[in-house]
Amino acid sequence: MLSKHDPPILLAKVDANEESNKDLANEYEVRGFPTLKILRNGGKNVQEYKGPREADGIVEYLKKQSGPASAEIKSAEDASSFIDEKKLVIVGVFPKFSGQEFDNYMALAEKLRSDYEFGHTLDAKYLPRGESSVTGPVVRLFKPFDELFVDFKVTW
């Protein structure tokens, strides 16, 4: 299923108990079995797999992980389908999709993509809750508890 994805997603199985694979297991700090790792950028970026453990769940999780680290929100409909009231979601509001603040946000999204859902938009009016006239750069954390959202002014 993953090989048919465009572009194909590679899934490799390595027996870390085999002597010939011990160095590889040590390099990627494999301590227990089964261990799944996500390798990007030729293995320079390694993340723990935190998704489901059955075939369909693995396929869906890896398809999502192979796309952009942050999804662009272009409408209120995009926001409502992206922002789930039962989980943490992080959305950056930016005046333009360039510059140091945006680049830093995207780098953070790439680094933490297996832990959180990231989105970005040019207009806060698409987002639920909070001030809709906020101009960026602002990062809005949506959460299913306490005050439900928090805005952070970006000063990177």
Side-chain angles (χ1 to χ4, degrees):
M1 289 185 276
L2 293 171
S3 66
K4 294 176 182 161
H5 186 267
D6 185 25
I9 300 170
L10 302 177
L11 183 64
K13 179 180 177 181
V14 176
D15 185 346
N17 285 321
E18 285 187 21
E19 193 58 40
S20 61
N21 296 325
K22 294 284 185 187
D23 289 341
L24 185 65
N26 286 333
E27 179 182 350
Y28 291 103
E29 300 175 355
V30 175
R31 304 281 183 253
F33 306 103
T35 295
L36 291 113
K37 302 273 185 170
I38 297 174
L39 283 70
R40 292 189 179 85
N41 196 16
K44 293 176 186 160
N45 183 348
V46 180
Q47 294 175 321
E48 295 294 323
Y49 175 86
K50 297 180 181 176
R53 295 293 180 138
E54 86 289 339
D56 289 341
I58 291 170
V59 168
E60 287 309 308
Y61 185 89
L62 291 178
K63 282 182 178 179
K64 188 173 184 181
Q65 288 290 308
S66 71
S70 179
E72 183 177 355
I73 297 171
K74 300 178 186 177
S75 66
E77 293 78 27
D78 286 352
S80 65
S81 65
F82 179 73
I83 298 167
D84 184 335
E85 295 179 359
K86 295 180 176 82
K87 62 183 176 183
L88 290 173
V89 178
I90 302 164
V91 178
V93 179
F94 297 93
K96 60 185 179 184
F97 294 149
S98 62
Q100 182 178 357
E101 291 91 354
F102 181 73
D103 293 344
N104 288 344
Y105 177 81
M106 294 302 282
L108 180 67
E110 184 64 44
K111 184 175 183 174
L112 299 176
R113 70 185 294 161
S114 63
D115 296 317
Y116 304 102
E117 301 266 340
F118 285 87
H120 58 278
T121 187
L122 295 172
D123 200 333
K125 75 179 179 187
Y126 300 140
L127 304 177
R129 302 180 223 128
E131 180 57 50
S132 64
S133 64
V134 166
T135 57
V138 167
V139 173
R140 182 167 290 171
L141 170 67
F142 293 93
K143 52 189 185 161
F145 54 87
D146 296 338
E147 64 274 14
L148 303 180
F149 78 94
V150 178
D151 283 347
F152 300 93
K153 188 75 174 164
V154 176
T155 58
W156 296 322

